[in-house]
Amino acid sequence: MHGMTKVMVALALCSAMGAASSAEYNGLVSDIQPNHSTANCFFFRLEGVTITPASPGNWFAVSYTSNGAKETFASVLAAKLSGVPVKVTTLSTTPTVCNYAEATYVAL
């Protein structure tokens, strides 16, 4: 029975890890909205990218209160100005910030 318990625990951990997996999007930054009158976030979109599950208008959001937010904004702006594609990661469950898909990682 001890061996069966180990198998069940391993399956439960795999299921939990699958639920927390990430989704990755790649593309050129098409739009940036650096401010919003009622939200403490900045927003951006990637050309031709559809976020799944849906985020209104396919906008990614980053809270200005998150660690590295200013550096992330600088990276998104630099990518937009230079035409360099970016890689954006969200959690597959698409947690939201400011009611949009939260970009948890952005890399040039």
Side-chain angles (χ1 to χ4, degrees):
M1 191 66 145
H2 184 64
M4 183 59 105
T5 302
K6 286 182 182 179
V7 170
M8 296 302 285
V9 169
L11 288 173
L13 287 173
C14 288
S15 295
M17 288 180 358
S21 65
S22 61
E24 187 176 291
Y25 303 90
N26 296 285
L28 297 172
V29 177
S30 61
D31 301 287
I32 302 173
Q33 182 178 345
N35 61 354
H36 190 280
S37 62
T38 62
N40 192 28
C41 289
F42 72 87
F43 307 89
F44 65 97
R45 290 193 286 196
L46 301 181
E47 288 181 12
V49 168
T50 301
I51 302 169
T52 304
S55 181
N58 290 306
W59 288 93
F60 293 99
V62 176
S63 171
Y64 278 118
T65 62
S66 66
N67 289 335
K70 290 179 183 176
E71 293 82 0
T72 302
F73 179 77
S75 296
V76 170
L77 181 59
K80 170 69 174 159
L81 295 174
S82 66
V84 172
V86 296
K87 175 174 72 173
V88 178
T89 303
T90 65
L91 293 179
S92 62
T93 55
T94 312
T96 59
V97 64
C98 299
N99 297 316
Y100 291 85
E102 180 178 14
T104 56
Y105 178 79
V106 177
L108 298 167

